């Protein structure tokens, strides 16, 4: 089901798509890439300009992100508040990271003024790009948990960054 605000699918749809794509990738022995994007300092933006401006911002961001997930089989959704997700089948690590960077650049190119953002004064996005081969990895929900932790790391490490990793992570 699509969100009225952004036109993208919702979290329930996204989780179902992840489970389905995980099973298909496991059966076919191919990779799957999960993307999580979180708008940096969006709460400050919303507090400064109000809910209507925040909604307009989410619409623009949703269009920008959705425009990157165009191939047949690609999935894109608003998964929570200012958080968006994407799924791409058969993506390698380098191509997956490049796509994450492309999304981040599209958000920067919107030049959405965010005067309370400590860096740059424009809206940016932090991202986790996680590539997994399901027949070698734990369950799909553990992939989502791992992506959440990598996204938290991107936020903690200064925001406006894309971190790409393989799942499961290689032992150190």
């Amino acid at each position: 089901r699509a969100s009225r605000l952004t036109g993208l699918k919702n979290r329930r749809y996204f989780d179902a798509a992840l489970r389905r794509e995980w099973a298909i990738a496991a059966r076919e022995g191919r990779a799957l890439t999960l993307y999580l994007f979180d708008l940096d300092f969006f709460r400050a933006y919303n507090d400064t300009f109000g809910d209507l401006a925040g909604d307009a911002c989410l619409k623009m961001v949703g269009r920008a992100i959705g425009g990157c997930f165009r191939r047949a089989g690609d999935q894109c959704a608003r998964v929570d508040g200012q958080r968006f997700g994407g799924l791409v089948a058969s993506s390698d690590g380098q191509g997956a990271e490049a796509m994450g960077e492309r999304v981040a650049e599209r958000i920067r190119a919107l030049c959405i003024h965010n005067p309370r953002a400590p860096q740059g004064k424009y809206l940016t996005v932090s991202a986790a790009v996680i590539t997994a081969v399901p027949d070698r990895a734990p369950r799909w929900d553990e992939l989502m948990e791992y992506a959440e932790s990598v996204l938290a790391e991107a936020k903690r490490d200064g925001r406006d960054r894309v971190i790409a990793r393989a799942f499961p992570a290689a032992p150190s």
Side-chain angles (χ1 to χ4, degrees):
R1 183 167 187 162
S3 159
R4 286 186 194 155
L5 180 64
T6 63
L8 299 176
K9 301 295 185 184
N10 64 24
R11 175 65 184 256
R12 185 177 10 227
Y13 176 90
F14 189 73
D15 285 347
L18 177 55
R19 282 192 302 271
R20 183 180 62 252
E21 291 299 322
W22 182 266
I24 293 168
R27 188 172 56 246
E28 296 177 356
R30 64 169 166 77
L32 174 69
T33 300
L34 169 65
Y35 298 81
L36 285 182
F37 303 99
D38 192 87
L39 298 178
D40 298 322
F41 304 106
F42 182 74
R43 182 165 289 141
Y45 179 90
N46 216 37
D47 290 348
T48 301
F49 296 112
D51 291 340
L52 289 176
D55 288 352
C57 174
L58 290 172
K59 284 179 188 177
M60 287 188 289
V61 168
R63 278 194 304 270
I65 293 174
C68 290
F69 293 87
R70 288 277 202 216
R71 296 181 327 183
D74 288 357
Q75 305 288 331
C76 185
R78 179 179 176 207
V79 294
D80 184 37
Q82 75 259 8
R83 191 165 288 184
F84 297 83
L87 285 173
V88 174
S90 301
S91 189
D92 67 23
Q94 283 184 318
E97 185 172 10
M99 178 129 162
E101 293 288 354
R102 194 165 40 255
V103 169
E105 184 53 40
R106 285 187 84 168
I107 302 304
R108 283 186 217 105
L110 293 172
C111 295
I112 299 171
H113 187 59
N114 191 2
R116 292 178 51 199
Q119 13 174 209
K121 304 300 179 198
Y122 290 97
L123 191 73
T124 58
V125 68
S126 295
V129 178
I130 312 299
T131 300
V133 178
D135 66 350
R136 289 185 245 150
R139 300 183 335 235
W140 72 270
D141 54 335
E142 292 176 4
L143 170 66
M144 184 61 98
E145 288 173 16
Y146 182 66
E148 294 276 356
S149 71
V150 172
L151 183 58
E153 179 184 335
K155 303 289 265 185
R156 208 175 34 252
D157 288 351
R159 302 177 195 248
D160 189 20
R161 58 181 85 273
V162 174
I163 298 178
R165 300 259 170 81
F167 178 75
S172 333

